[in-house]
Amino acid sequence: MKYLNRFLLALSFLTRLGPSRQAEPEDLAGCMPFLPLVGLILGLVVCLPFGLGLFAGKPWIQAWLAAALSLLLTRGLHLDGLADVADGVTAHTNPARFWEVVKDSHCGAFGAMGLVLGITGQVVVLEALFSAGRPWSAAWIFCAGRCATVGLGYATRELARPGLGALFLAGATLENTLIAVGCTVLAGIFLAPTWGLAAALVLPPLALYPLYRLARQVDGVNGDFLGAAVILGELAAGLGLALAL
């Protein structure tokens, strides 16, 4: 029952697919191994209409609508993190200034660029997968993106800054990371082509390495980093699948 509650908590916190729930700090930490499963459910919900033939033969429209539906169901949570980190990059040589920029609710030029690249990148990789007749592979990239977040959390957990992100990072243990990776690989075996799966598992760590280096340079990691990792993980996994088609 404890694990079901934590899964439902992760589902409600990261998406609109579950009702709001009360949580203790240890429950948020316990959400970490369930993030890829939440991503998989989100991806299946987003891609199911197009897998069933909605707007068949019009992959650009399918991709645009899928990206919009993902944005709606996640409340833009991860893209907000990407924008904040992108804004802060301009001040990364001064850690104190970096965190001031990240905490600023205004979106600067680099944040806007990050949003544009993130959203258009998602549309492009989804179009490639939809046009290749791989809607279920497209669903899997949402799973891979959340797995990337768990991986980044494990690699940077000792840098956690006070806040909501730190509560999640407390659960980024080796055991939970291995569970997340195992679930992601297992789902990929069923949903993604073999060579595409291999590429989609290799590219996300490479894409997240600059984020890891940035966390080291500014001596900290928070929820914005985790959100940025979701988007970069999705894009890298989608690119791996698309290039292997």
Side-chain angles (χ1 to χ4, degrees), residues 8-243:
L8 292 174
L9 176 61
L11 186 68
S12 65
F13 185 86
L14 297 177
T15 75
R16 297 180 185 271
L17 298 174
S20 299
R21 304 174 68 87
Q22 296 290 334
E24 298 296 329
E26 61 270 18
D27 293 324
L28 293 177
C31 288
M32 288 299 272
F34 297 105
L35 297 193
L37 180 57
V38 170
L40 180 60
I41 292 173
L42 172 67
L44 290 172
V45 170
V46 167
C47 297
L48 178 62
F50 312 110
L52 295 178
L54 181 66
F55 297 115
K58 298 179 174 61
W60 281 111
I61 293 177
Q62 291 178 321
W64 180 71
L65 289 175
L69 184 56
S70 170
L71 181 63
L72 174 66
L73 292 177
T74 61
R75 311 179 193 89
L77 182 66
H78 313 307
L79 282 166
D80 178 68
L82 177 66
D84 287 341
V85 173
D87 269 336
V89 165
T90 58
H92 74 276
T93 56
N94 184 335
R97 176 58 183 158
F98 172 87
W99 290 110
E100 287 179 10
V101 174
V102 167
K103 291 177 182 179
D104 191 334
S105 60
H106 296 88
C107 184
F110 283 88
M113 293 178 203
L115 288 175
V116 170
L117 289 174
I119 295 172
T120 56
Q122 189 174 49
V123 172
V124 168
V125 297
L126 288 173
E127 187 279 335
L129 295 172
F130 286 145
S131 64
R134 293 280 186 176
W136 311 123
S137 295
W140 179 79
I141 69 174
F142 295 88
C143 174
R146 275 75 187 166
C147 181
T149 293
V150 180
L152 180 71
Y154 174 70
T156 61
R157 64 195 184 283
E158 77 279 6
L159 300 175
R161 292 175 62 85
L164 190 60
L167 300 179
F168 280 93
L169 285 165
T173 62
L174 178 60
E175 178 184 2
N176 285 345
T177 303
L178 292 176
I179 291 172
V181 172
C183 291
T184 302
V185 172
L186 182 62
I189 290 173
F190 288 98
L191 298 176
T194 302
W195 288 112
L197 176 61
L201 291 174
V202 169
L203 289 183
L206 297 178
L208 262 61
Y209 182 72
L211 203 57
Y212 166 81
R213 288 290 302 160
L214 177 63
R216 294 288 174 186
Q217 290 172 352
V218 300
D219 194 30
V221 64
N222 68 349
D224 290 318
F225 274 80
L226 300 182
V230 169
I231 302 301
L232 293 178
E234 287 179 356
L235 295 177
L239 180 63
L241 291 176
L243 293 178

